[in-house]
Amino acid sequence: DIVMTQSPDSLAVSLGERATLNCRSSQSVFSTANNKNFLAWYQQKPGQPPKLLVSWASQRESGVPDRFSGSGSGTDFTLTISSLQAEDVAIYYCQQYYSVPPYTFGQGTKLEIK
Amino acid sequence: EVQLVESGGGLIQPGGSLRLSCVVSGLTFSRDWMVWVRQAPGKGPEWISRINPDESFISYADSVKGRFTISRDNVKKTVSLQMNSLRGDDTAVYYCARVQTSPGPYFFDYWGQGTLVTVSS
């Protein structure tokens, strides 16, 4: 199984500042067949289900603000929030869908306001 | 509008059984792969089962294999999870979700609000 490890476990950032969340997979999730990374990012607010933010490591979902961006390839990935807003307080999870089943998630990064 | 609505959760004693259901609207469903994902209190999501449109490809996480059974009714647009021999570590919010397929199956793009299962004596 591919193990997903996120860092840090928690992060406090001032409003308007940049937040950088990291995700590492235990093996590459890059497919040479279609030249894509099989990596998604989800946002989860209290009492809500996870919400898909980014797929294919860098493809923002429709309706997701452009302050969110995903990057990385192979085994190392980053979700960046360019200018933190109060509504971005949440737990963020990465997930691989390259080698499934099982689908595996990271343990999450809790993002708070400093 | 896409909606996934889970039901069937509740308090159950260890060793007991529950059947969860997820009714889907606003999606084709009959061509959709579906999953169940659970989330224990304070923990991250854990995928537990997947089913393809005609039920020919079904898979389970090791943690539930042999105890849980996924099924679907494409006419009623419902996916179900029969949970037997429940244990304390099955306590979680259970979500159903649609798997994006183009051709896929890939990531989970639509989620229900979840139903809480508590296993306790």
Side-chain angles (χ1 to χ4, degrees):
Chain A
D1 298 357
I2 296 179
V3 177
M4 308 300 291
T5 303
Q6 294 182 240
S7 62
D9 289 333
S10 63
L11 180 63
V13 175
S14 301
L15 289 172
E17 296 299 306
R18 178 185 300 262
T20 302
L21 290 68
N22 302 300
C23 174
R24 175 167 290 176
S25 56
S26 61
Q27 61 190 78
S28 176
V29 298
F30 179 76
S31 169
T32 55
N34 62 5
N35 203 37
K36 289 186 174 184
N37 287 283
F38 284 50
L39 189 283
W41 288 94
Y42 299 85
Q43 175 194 64
Q44 187 175 32
K45 298 181 179 181
Q48 296 185 19
K51 173 189 174 184
L52 179 65
L53 290 181
V54 170
S55 58
W56 307 112
S58 61
Q59 185 173 307
R60 204 168 40 243
E61 292 300 299
S62 174
V64 174
D66 61 7
R67 63 180 180 272
F68 290 89
S69 63
S71 62
S73 184
T75 61
D76 289 283
F77 301 90
T78 300
L79 179 70
T80 301
I81 307 171
S82 60
S83 177
L84 189 70
Q85 304 300 303
E87 60 265 31
D88 301 334
V89 169
I91 301 176
Y92 293 83
Y93 297 98
C94 61
Q95 178 213 19
Q96 67 83 22
Y97 46 98
Y98 177 77
S99 178
V100 294
Y103 298 86
T104 48
F105 293 83
Q107 82 279 14
T109 291
K110 185 176 184 180
L111 180 59
E112 300 172 312
I113 304 294
K114 184 187 289 184
Chain B
E1 182 192 8
V2 175
Q3 282 196 310
L4 291 76
V5 181
E6 302 95 337
S7 62
L11 175 63
I12 187 73
Q13 292 189 337
S17 298
L18 274 180
R19 185 176 182 86
L20 307 183
S21 294
C22 170
V23 178
V24 178
S25 59
L27 296 173
T28 304
F29 188 77
S30 61
R31 293 198 295 268
D32 290 325
W33 291 63
M34 300 295 296
V35 294
W36 284 95
V37 176
R38 70 183 180 184
Q39 190 168 28
K43 302 294 186 182
E46 177 193 15
W47 166 82
I48 56 173
S49 187
R50 182 183 75 176
I51 188 168
N52 73 323
D54 67 2
E55 301 185 273
S56 59
F57 287 96
I58 288 175
S59 52
Y60 300 96
D62 288 345
S63 58
V64 305
K65 198 172 295 182
R67 300 187 300 123
F68 291 11
T69 303
I70 192 171
S71 62
R72 65 190 293 157
D73 184 328
N74 287 339
V75 174
K76 295 181 178 179
K77 291 192 168 184
T78 300
V79 58
S80 299
L81 188 69
Q82 177 66 41
M83 305 187 297
N84 299 330
S85 304
L86 284 161
R87 313 185 301 223
D89 60 359
D90 294 319
T91 294
V93 175
Y94 285 73
Y95 298 100
C96 64
R98 197 273 294 261
V99 186
Q100 171 62 238
T101 53
S102 296
Y106 300 133
F107 43 87
F108 311 153
D109 55 359
Y110 293 103
W111 296 64
Q113 288 297 312
T115 186
L116 176 62
V117 173
T118 303
V119 184
S120 176
S121 54

